[in-house]
Amino acid sequence: ILFLVALALFNQEASAQVAGKDLPFLKAYQEEIPYFQELITGGQYAAPSARIKGDPYFVTRQFEAGTLRINGISYPQVPLIYDIYRDQLVTFHPIFNQKILIKPEKIDGFEWSDGKLFRFFSGNESFLHRGNGIYQVLGQGNAIALAKRYKTTKDSREQARYDSEYVEKTTYFIWEEGRFSSIKNASQAIASLGLDAKVLKRESKAKGLQFKKSPEAYLLFLVTYPKSN
């Protein structure tokens, strides 16, 4: 199920390979090399500074099994953590007992066990917190609604123990035909999609949707709204 969902959202061909299913040599490969070589080509992950309060990760500092897609191949049940301060995806090397970076240029996307989907998107260089270009996909239809999850730091009040502390933030975008539109309110979202503001405001109100209260649900509603209406 994870692969099918990821496949649809990655917009890949139906013939795309899935590690463990479509690779006839995989069993022998695993016996010779206990871990997929494609996943361990990055350098060793540098531990976060102990002088920064909190942690730099998305949701959890513990490894979770996810589906990773790199170079057109989906790997299920890969241990992953996502450092959103440095925008780095990290896996675990079972032989050397190390946290290993996955090279960002190899990442097509990855899906968390709870269904949260992330993809690499090129462009948007003017956005200060673009990092390595990894965005959460909130939904897609006529366009794609994206959330950039990231952490910054601010001075800590506990100077005896910490220099600073992490602050988690989110910036929303609508991506359409290679173009990013930064979204800070409902009017920007509607305008970026070329939709009828009066109709959308009426229908979103009927559904109890407000950008300020539930931006992700609101953006999902907009990108899946039929443009013909």
Side-chain angles (χ1 to χ4, degrees):
I1 294 175
L2 286 177
F3 166 65
L4 294 176
V5 174
L7 185 64
L9 289 172
F10 291 153
N11 288 322
Q12 300 293 333
E13 300 87 354
S15 60
Q17 289 180 312
V18 183
K21 180 179 180 182
D22 297 334
L23 303 182
F25 57 87
L26 183 64
K27 187 175 186 299
Y29 184 38
Q30 285 179 305
E31 289 174 355
E32 295 295 325
I33 304 175
Y35 211 55
F36 301 111
Q37 187 176 359
E38 286 288 346
L39 303 186
I40 55 176
T41 52
Q44 186 174 353
Y45 174 69
S49 171
R51 294 292 301 172
I52 306 178
K53 183 179 180 180
D55 68 71
Y57 306 112
F58 176 70
V59 179
T60 177
R61 67 179 67 198
Q62 303 297 324
F63 279 103
E64 289 196 3
T67 296
L68 174 65
R69 188 172 183 83
I70 55 175
N71 294 344
I73 299 177
S74 288
Y75 297 88
Q77 299 298 306
V78 177
L80 299 171
I81 51 174
Y82 179 26
D83 180 333
I84 60 175
Y85 178 65
R86 291 176 284 190
D87 206 25
Q88 294 176 335
L89 188 62
V90 183
T91 190
F92 181 77
H93 196 302
I95 299 176
F96 299 109
N97 195 32
Q98 294 176 339
K99 292 178 180 178
I100 300 295
L101 294 171
I102 301 172
K103 288 185 177 179
E105 63 268 24
K106 289 182 173 289
I107 300 170
D108 299 329
F110 56 97
E111 186 175 8
W112 242 231
S113 58
D114 62 1
K116 290 185 177 70
L117 177 67
F118 292 80
R119 277 182 57 185
F120 168 79
F121 287 84
S122 60
N124 208 21
E125 284 83 1
S126 62
F127 177 50
L128 179 63
H129 300 287
R130 177 185 178 276
N132 288 316
I134 300 172
Y135 300 81
Q136 183 181 354
V137 177
L138 303 176
Q140 71 178 52
N142 298 311
I144 303 178
L146 302 174
K148 180 59 185 177
R149 313 291 188 186
Y150 59 98
K151 289 187 178 182
T152 60
T153 57
K154 67 177 183 180
D155 290 340
S156 174
R157 295 180 180 180
E158 303 175 53
Q159 290 296 319
R161 296 182 60 189
Y162 305 106
D163 296 326
S164 55
E165 59 185 85
Y166 291 107
V167 180
E168 185 165 354
K169 299 182 179 181
T170 300
T171 300
Y172 296 104
F173 296 92
I174 287 178
W175 185 93
E176 186 175 18
E177 298 180 350
R179 179 177 59 89
F180 285 87
S181 296
S182 177
I183 305 299
K184 297 180 180 179
N185 54 55
S187 296
Q188 287 181 337
I190 293 171
S192 72
L193 293 168
L195 298 172
D196 188 310
K198 290 183 179 180
V199 173
L200 263 296
K201 287 179 180 179
R202 183 175 64 249
E203 295 199 20
S204 60
K205 184 177 180 180
K207 293 179 179 294
L209 292 173
Q210 296 182 38
F211 182 84
K212 288 184 178 180
K213 291 184 177 180
S214 51
E216 296 175 19
Y218 187 87
L219 290 177
L220 176 59
F221 167 67
L222 288 191
V223 297
T224 55
Y225 189 84
K227 280 195 170 183
S228 59
N229 284 17

